[in-house]
């Protein structure tokens, strides 16, 4: 079972993630059936097809974006979504980092932004600075070791989702 | 102004990076990080795994070093490598034989002298390069190093742009002549002043070499300096989101610009920028002054404009005069000069220096140039602040070290990639070709007569040796598992003598070479170069007309004829001579 880090603690995960075409007897890309209750994270295509039905469920509904899906794909629905997950198909695909920053900084999204997919220790700090606050670690990751990643580099030169001012402004403010 | 001195935060960033990388190395060695996932992590710290051994690339930000740092580089060559290093065209130094498990120790030693290997490889923002006469050139518009440092800090561990579609190289040029090849970088920034004298940058995006060589287009004619970082952030964000990730050969930003179309690409960047402009990343004068103040400043003496003893020696000593003409560059401070120490002596791979040579150059820098030196993208070392009255002494010492070959700007000042001797991607060796050409043209009078000529060699299409922008370019190609060499002429890296570059004035510089015809075996290459040179000498108007000018005037045809048109043509297609000289 994968471990979830949320707000720098290992926490239990109440969310069930649904995938396209993952149900029994279903073809690739088909919309999966949705359980009547419980918290689910649905693929973007499912959300777009059944938005209102999903929002009316008793459990909570979040959406997950693939790395190619920008924040525009979901921008109109942010108020209805307590959670947005962003998939990292490989260590090399950094598109989700821009998506998270835009959700936080441009669209003002304050719900949970969860990294899923290739979520390994070496990516956590960068993801955190881009606005992710939850990390579903890949199965092989040691959660205690992964938690150390957040403190590996204490300083960041840049402004980011968690630091509104770049270091040069903080330095000057400190010097005054 | 030249060397940026870290404050405690800059130092902590580098120190903590060493610890982070040590952890990654240990997890890899313990089997907790897969080969596949360790690879991009070690690349972000400059560690390649090459044909024979790992290769470690250490950053020399915008090419500036203190003598203390150079001694550290020498120490590392001695302790961890085979006693030499290779200065690259990207203003880095590369070690070809470090041990993977010792790299964290090497980095820890580097950190003690404010050096690192951060982002020297991998698909992230690389070491920022600059024009190597920054701070001393008479045609300086701004000191490019201050801006390079500001960009270096912004790009270091940028959380959003650490996993780009492909590597990303930024070059800054601060003078009216482009000595930083800004049109063949992912982003080239060319300092300019507008009508009111305000400083800004002409922004070129999407240039590059490699398999799709492109002279980058100007995306913005004038970007006021305050907006430098927000604009970079906008351009990088557009690239991170929309650059191709399906095919690594189409992943550079140049392909995005080309496939999107310049107008649309520009509109996308400007639209993103409109939302970032005037935000917290907007630069402020206080920050520019703070960075400026952390640079060392040479304590220049007040000297006469021209040293009389120097003039006398120049009048009587031909060898000294030759060296002075080629290897000494005018300085903006009266009585000073910048000296290039040539690492291009025949018999030695271009850019290589032994630890003893590095130590000796460090001593020269201490004695004659305020303890600082520079690495040029032509793979030479530069003492930027030498008194004119010391030039004769520096020359004598440089001769003893083998660094006084008066060939800067000449044919034997070859830019050459490591090629098949070291690089696993190579189609052909490049260093032996460079050596053979240097040997063929070792007559200095002849070399000086030929005049200015850039000859660049790459061992494969990745173009690390910048062959497309050599006046003569040589490219290693593979045919039926044999090494062959394709020759091109007419490239130009953008350095130009044609006056000042201002907003709205068309860029006169960079051009890409044209292939002259079928390839050659290695043994034939020096003959071909000789044919090209003979053709040039026969057709030039005067000594003032350079090889590249003649190619641009009369076109490639006469050069083709000179090489292929002879009755005993050496075309390998006919001779099937083996490429194993
Ligand atoms: C020894 C191992 C090396 C390897 C495996 C290597 C690999 C590569 C590859 C694959 C590219 C093409 C990237 C692309 O177009 O996306 C490239 C480009 C480049 N390399 Fe290297 N390289 C090596 C050494 C060097 C050295 C020693 C230098 C400097 C002398 C250098 C300078 C460059 C430059 C300037 C480019 C950019 C060309 C462009 O703008 O597209 N490389 N290298
Ligand atoms: S040009 Fe090719 S052969 Fe030369 S170093 Fe680059 S990748 Fe290797």
């Amino acid at each position: 079972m994968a471990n979830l880090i949320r707000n720098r603690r290992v926490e239990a995960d109440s969310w069930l993630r649904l995938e396209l075409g993952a149900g029994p007897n279903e073809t690739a890309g088909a919309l999966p059936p949705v359980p009547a209750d419980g918290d689910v994270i649905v693929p973007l295509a499912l959300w777009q097809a059944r938005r209102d039905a999903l929002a009316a469920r008793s459990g909570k509904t979040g959406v997950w974006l693939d790395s190619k899906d920008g924040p525009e794909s979901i921008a109109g629905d942010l108020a209805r979504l307590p959670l947005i997950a962003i998939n990292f198909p490989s260590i090399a695909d950094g598109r989700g980092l821009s998506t998270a920053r835009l959700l936080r900084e441009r669209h003002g999204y304050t719900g949970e932004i969860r990294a899923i997919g290739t979520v390994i220790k070496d990516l956590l700090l960068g993801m955190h600075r881009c606005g992710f606050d939850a990390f579903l670690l890949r199965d092989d990751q040691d959660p205690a070791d992964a938690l150390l990643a957040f403190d590996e580099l204490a300083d960041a030169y840049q402004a980011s989702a968690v630091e509104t001012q770049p270091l040069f402004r903080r330095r000057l403010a400190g010097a005054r | 102004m030249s060397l940026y001195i870290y404050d405690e935060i800059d130092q902590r960033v580098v120190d903590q990076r060493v610890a982070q990388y040590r952890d990654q190395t240990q997890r890899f060695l313990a089997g907790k990080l897969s080969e596949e996932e360790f690879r991009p992590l070690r690349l972000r710290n400059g560690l390649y795994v090459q044909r024979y051994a790992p290769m470690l690339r250490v950053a020399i930000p915008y090419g500036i070093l203190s003598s203390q740092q150079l001694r550290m580089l020498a120490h590392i060559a001695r302790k961890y490598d085979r006693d030499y290093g290779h200065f690259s065209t990207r203003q880095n130094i590369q070690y070809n034989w470090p041990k993977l498990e010792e790299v964290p120790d090497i980095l820890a030693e580097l950190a003690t002298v404010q050096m690192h290997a951060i982002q020297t490889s991998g698909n992230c923002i690389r070491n920022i390069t600059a024009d190597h006469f920054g701070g001393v050139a008479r045609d300086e518009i701004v000191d490019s190093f201050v801006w390079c440092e500001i960009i270096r800090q912004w790009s270091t561990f940028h959380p959003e742009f650490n996993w780009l579609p492909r590597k990303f190289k930024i070059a800054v040029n601060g003078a009216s002549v482009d000595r930083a090849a800004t049109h063949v970088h992912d982003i080239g920034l060319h300092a300019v002043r507008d009508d009111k004298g305000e400083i800004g940058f002409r922004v070129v995006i999407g240039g590059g070499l490699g398999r799709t060589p492109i002279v980058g287009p100007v995306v913005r004619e004038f970007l006021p300096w305050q907006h430098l970082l927000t604009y970079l952030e906008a351009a990088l964000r557009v690239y991170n989101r929309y650059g191709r990730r399906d095919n690594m050969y189409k992943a550079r930003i140049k392909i995005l610009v080309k496939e999107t179309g310049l107008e649309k690409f520009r509109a996308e960047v400007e639209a993103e920028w409109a939302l970032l402009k005037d935000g917290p990343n907007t630069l402020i004068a206080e920050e520019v002054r703070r960075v400026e103040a952390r640079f060392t400043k040479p304590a220049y003496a007040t000297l006469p404009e021209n040293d009389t003893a120097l003039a006398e020696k120049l009048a009587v000593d031909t060898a000294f005069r030759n060296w002075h003409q080629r290897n000494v560059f005018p300085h903006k401070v009266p009585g000073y000069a910048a000296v290039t120490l040539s690492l291009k002596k025949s018999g030695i791979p271009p850019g290589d220096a032994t630890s003893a040579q590095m130590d000796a150059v460090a001593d020269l820098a201490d004695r004659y140039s305020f303890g600082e030196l520079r690495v040029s993208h032509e793979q030479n070392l530069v003492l930027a602040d030498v008194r004119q009255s010391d030039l004769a002494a520096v020359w004598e010492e440089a001769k003893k070290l083998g660094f006084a070959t008066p060939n800067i700007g000449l044919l034997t000042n070859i830019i050459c990639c490591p090629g098949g001797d070291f690089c696993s991607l190579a189609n052909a060796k490049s260093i032996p070709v460079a050596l053979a050409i240097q040997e063929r043209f070792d007559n200095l009078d002849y070399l000086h007569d030929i005049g200015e000529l850039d000859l660049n060699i790459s061992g494969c299409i990745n173009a690390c040796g910048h062959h497309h922008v050599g006046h003569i370019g040589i490219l290693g190609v593979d045919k039926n598992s044999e090494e062959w060499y394709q020759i091109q002429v007419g490239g130009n890296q953008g350095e130009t003598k044609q006056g000042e570059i201002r907003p709205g004035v068309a860029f006169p510089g960079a051009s890409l070479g044209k292939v002259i015809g079928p390839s050659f075996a290695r043994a034939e290459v020096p003959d071909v170069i000789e044919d090209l040179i003979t053709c040039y000498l026969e057709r030039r108007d005067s000594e003032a007309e350079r090889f590249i000018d003649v190619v641009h005037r009369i076109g490639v045809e006469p050069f083709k004829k000179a090489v292929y048109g002879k009755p005993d043509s050496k075309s390998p297609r006919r001779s099937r001579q083996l490429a194993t000289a």
Side-chain angles (χ1 to χ4, degrees):
Chain A
M1 174 72 195
N3 286 292
L4 178 73
I5 293 180
R6 190 192 275 129
N7 298 320
R8 304 183 61 163
R9 282 204 316 268
V10 181
E11 288 194 1
D13 184 12
S14 67
W15 294 82
L16 174 71
R17 179 177 157 213
L18 305 180
E19 294 194 53
L20 291 181
N25 312 321
E26 289 200 66
T27 47
L31 299 181
V34 180
D37 40 38
D39 301 341
V40 293
I41 309 178
V42 304
L44 178 63
L46 179 58
W47 171 258
Q48 286 170 335
R50 308 212 188 118
R51 214 175 304 246
D52 293 326
L54 287 166
R57 290 172 68 252
S58 66
K60 287 184 281 188
T61 305
V63 171
W64 68 271
L65 305 178
D66 215 337
S67 61
K68 66 179 190 318
D69 305 318
E72 302 78 11
S73 61
I74 202 89
D77 297 328
L78 296 180
R80 304 164 75 174
L81 292 171
L83 178 150
I84 297 171
I86 299 173
N87 185 37
F88 288 81
S90 79
I91 184 172
D93 188 342
R95 285 176 286 185
L97 300 168
S98 288
T99 306
R101 274 196 80 178
L102 288 167
L103 283 173
R104 288 277 188 245
E105 295 171 55
R106 186 150 302 156
H107 298 286
Y109 182 66
T110 54
E112 175 174 326
I113 302 184
R114 173 182 294 203
I116 58 176
T118 310
V119 182
I120 61 175
K121 178 184 184 186
D122 308 275
L123 298 181
L124 296 187
L125 181 56
M127 288 170 167
H128 163 68
R129 286 181 176 160
C130 287
F132 288 89
D133 50 6
F135 310 86
L136 192 65
L137 294 178
R138 200 174 62 187
D139 287 348
D140 62 343
Q141 299 292 299
D142 170 356
D145 189 40
L147 277 171
L148 301 176
F150 295 100
D151 297 313
E152 280 180 339
L153 302 170
D155 307 283
Y157 287 108
Q158 304 79 13
S160 65
V162 291
E163 183 59 82
T164 57
Q165 302 296 308
L167 179 61
F168 68 79
R169 288 184 190 264
R170 285 176 269 138
R171 267 178 174 137
L172 288 169
R176 270 190 201 119
Chain B
M1 182 170 327
S2 30
L3 190 76
Y4 177 81
I5 305 298
Y6 286 2
D7 72 3
E8 66 190 65
I9 300 178
D10 303 317
Q11 183 69 49
R12 190 160 58 221
V13 167
V14 169
D15 290 341
Q16 292 189 335
R17 174 58 176 151
V18 175
Q20 185 186 42
Y21 185 72
R22 193 182 290 284
D23 171 62
Q24 290 172 342
T25 303
Q26 279 162 0
R27 278 158 50 228
F28 169 68
L29 292 173
K32 290 189 197 153
L33 250 178
S34 68
E35 178 82 49
E36 188 198 347
E37 283 175 351
F38 182 52
R39 184 176 168 278
L41 299 172
R42 66 170 156 71
L43 284 177
R44 270 161 190 68
N45 227 340
L47 187 67
Y48 286 81
V49 174
Q50 286 305 304
R51 184 168 281 185
Y52 302 113
M55 186 264 288
L56 178 67
R57 182 184 287 163
V58 175
I60 302 176
Y62 34 96
I64 306 283
L65 280 172
S66 68
S67 54
Q68 183 200 21
Q69 290 173 328
L70 185 59
R71 287 193 186 92
M72 175 57 80
L73 295 178
H75 163 74
I76 287 172
R78 246 187 322 263
K79 181 163 167 195
Y80 300 98
D81 207 291
R82 298 192 181 169
D83 213 20
Y84 71 95
H86 176 85
F87 289 96
S88 87
T89 58
R90 291 278 311 160
Q91 302 178 329
N92 298 306
I93 183 168
Q94 300 183 170
Y95 294 105
N96 283 308
W97 314 96
K99 294 198 186 66
L100 187 144
E101 55 278 18
E102 287 182 354
V103 169
D105 298 334
I106 298 178
L107 297 172
E109 296 218 41
L110 287 169
T112 63
V113 293
Q114 308 193 345
M115 293 189 85
H116 60 77
I118 294 167
Q119 290 165 216
T120 56
S121 182
N123 297 337
C124 50
I125 302 170
R126 302 289 189 82
N127 189 17
I128 318 298
T129 50
D131 115 53
H132 54 275
F133 290 123
V136 305
R138 288 185 180 171
D139 62 340
E140 177 168 294
I141 297 165
V142 299
D143 188 326
S144 48
F145 301 147
V146 172
W147 300 97
C148 285
E149 179 58 27
I150 287 171
I151 299 170
R152 184 192 75 82
Q153 297 192 8
W154 164 79
S155 64
T156 297
F157 305 131
H158 196 298
E160 186 180 350
F161 306 132
N162 198 22
W163 302 94
L164 298 169
R166 205 67 183 81
K167 60 186 173 183
F168 204 92
K169 299 180 178 180
I170 302 177
V172 182
N173 190 71
S176 61
V177 169
D178 182 4
R179 297 185 196 91
T182 52
H183 280 257
V184 290
H185 282 78
D186 296 289
I187 292 189
L189 297 166
H190 203 128
V192 280
R193 282 184 192 275
D194 69 3
D195 298 340
K196 294 181 217 84
E198 294 294 324
I199 288 169
F201 296 91
R202 163 185 283 205
V203 184
V204 176
I205 306 186
L209 301 173
R211 71 184 61 213
T212 316
I214 293 178
V215 174
V218 175
V219 171
R220 188 165 241 281
E221 283 290 348
F222 187 79
L223 177 70
W225 62 267
Q226 294 87 338
H227 303 302
L228 180 61
L229 298 184
T230 51
Y231 201 84
L232 288 176
E233 194 129 339
L236 264 296
R237 180 170 285 165
V238 168
Y239 174 54
N240 190 42
R241 298 190 63 196
Y242 304 115
R244 286 183 63 171
R245 291 172 188 265
D246 58 329
N247 177 341
M248 85 170 224
Y249 298 117
K250 300 197 176 203
R252 296 289 287 268
I253 196 172
K254 62 190 171 190
I255 306 291
L256 178 66
V257 176
K258 203 170 114 191
E259 289 183 350
T260 313
L262 177 59
E263 286 317 312
K264 183 151 178 270
F265 175 79
R266 175 185 291 136
E268 284 175 7
V269 173
E270 296 270 332
E272 178 62 35
W273 181 49
L275 297 166
L276 296 173
K277 190 169 173 283
D278 301 318
N281 279 316
T282 307
L283 279 167
I284 41 186
E286 279 165 289
E287 167 64 1
V288 180
R289 279 199 300 273
R290 186 194 71 84
V291 172
E292 247 167 27
R294 295 205 68 81
F295 275 82
T296 56
K297 289 163 201 64
Y300 294 115
T302 309
L303 300 172
E305 178 72 46
N306 292 305
D307 185 70
T308 45
L310 173 67
E312 281 161 24
K313 186 163 174 69
L314 284 172
V316 297
D317 188 335
T318 317
F320 180 65
R321 188 166 62 241
N322 277 340
W323 176 80
H324 186 271
Q325 185 197 340
R326 298 307 337 169
N327 296 29
V328 176
F329 186 83
H331 200 293
K332 69 178 184 186
V333 176
Y336 284 84
V339 172
T340 302
L341 301 171
S342 172
L343 298 185
K344 311 290 178 69
K345 191 178 145 107
S346 46
I348 293 169
D352 274 9
T354 63
S355 58
Q357 285 173 322
M358 289 186 232
D359 281 339
V361 172
D363 290 345
L364 282 186
D366 278 342
R367 269 183 293 150
Y368 298 112
S369 196
F370 301 100
E372 290 176 7
L373 64 145
R374 301 164 183 213
V375 184
S376 78
H377 80 272
E378 288 158 341
Q379 302 174 279
N380 292 310
L381 299 176
V382 175
L383 298 176
D385 301 290
V386 179
R387 284 188 189 204
Q388 290 179 8
S389 54
D390 286 336
L391 285 172
V394 169
W395 179 57
E396 292 297 341
E397 305 232 18
K399 272 197 296 190
K400 276 188 240 154
L401 294 170
F403 287 162
T405 316
N407 65 351
I408 303 310
L410 300 184
L411 169 60
T412 55
N413 182 33
I414 295 171
I415 297 182
C416 177
C417 82
D421 292 302
F422 298 104
C423 170
S424 50
L425 303 174
N427 286 324
K429 294 192 180 188
S430 50
I431 290 170
V433 178
L435 298 183
I437 294 169
Q438 286 171 334
E439 227 157 79
R440 175 68 60 93
F441 292 91
D442 69 348
N443 179 321
L444 277 177
D445 290 338
Y446 186 42
L447 261 188
H448 281 254
D449 186 41
I450 296 168
E452 242 173 72
L453 199 155
D454 293 344
L455 192 151
N456 297 357
I457 309 177
S458 307
C460 81
I461 192 71
N462 287 315
C464 303
H466 302 185
H467 63 278
H468 303 104
V469 289
H471 300 169
I472 297 177
I474 302 179
L475 167 66
V477 291
D478 172 281
K479 285 187 197 161
N480 307 320
S481 308
E482 286 171 16
E483 298 179 305
W484 296 93
Y485 296 88
Q486 192 183 67
I487 314 280
Q488 39 187 266
V489 300
N492 187 7
Q493 66 179 0
E495 191 159 335
T496 167
K497 301 205 155 43
Q498 303 176 24
E500 205 172 328
I501 291 168
R502 282 184 293 116
V505 180
F507 188 80
S511 59
L512 303 171
K514 292 196 181 63
V515 177
I516 61 168
S519 334
F520 298 92
R522 191 190 304 156
E524 297 174 311
V525 173
D527 291 338
V528 175
I529 305 303
E530 191 143 20
D531 291 343
L532 292 172
I533 299 297
T534 309
C535 173
Y536 153 67
L537 291 174
E538 283 167 7
R539 284 164 187 268
R540 71 179 175 190
D541 274 346
S542 71
E543 284 184 17
E545 196 182 28
R546 303 170 302 162
F547 180 91
I548 183 72
D549 304 327
V550 173
V551 179
H552 287 161
R553 178 167 59 82
I554 67 177
V556 176
E557 275 312 311
F559 289 90
K560 273 190 189 167
K561 241 189 227 125
V563 173
Y564 297 99
K566 296 192 298 193
D568 63 334
S569 171
K570 311 180 189 66
S571 167
R573 292 270 159 94
R574 264 162 282 166
S575 71
R576 298 306 305 161
Q577 188 180 338
L578 273 184
T580 47

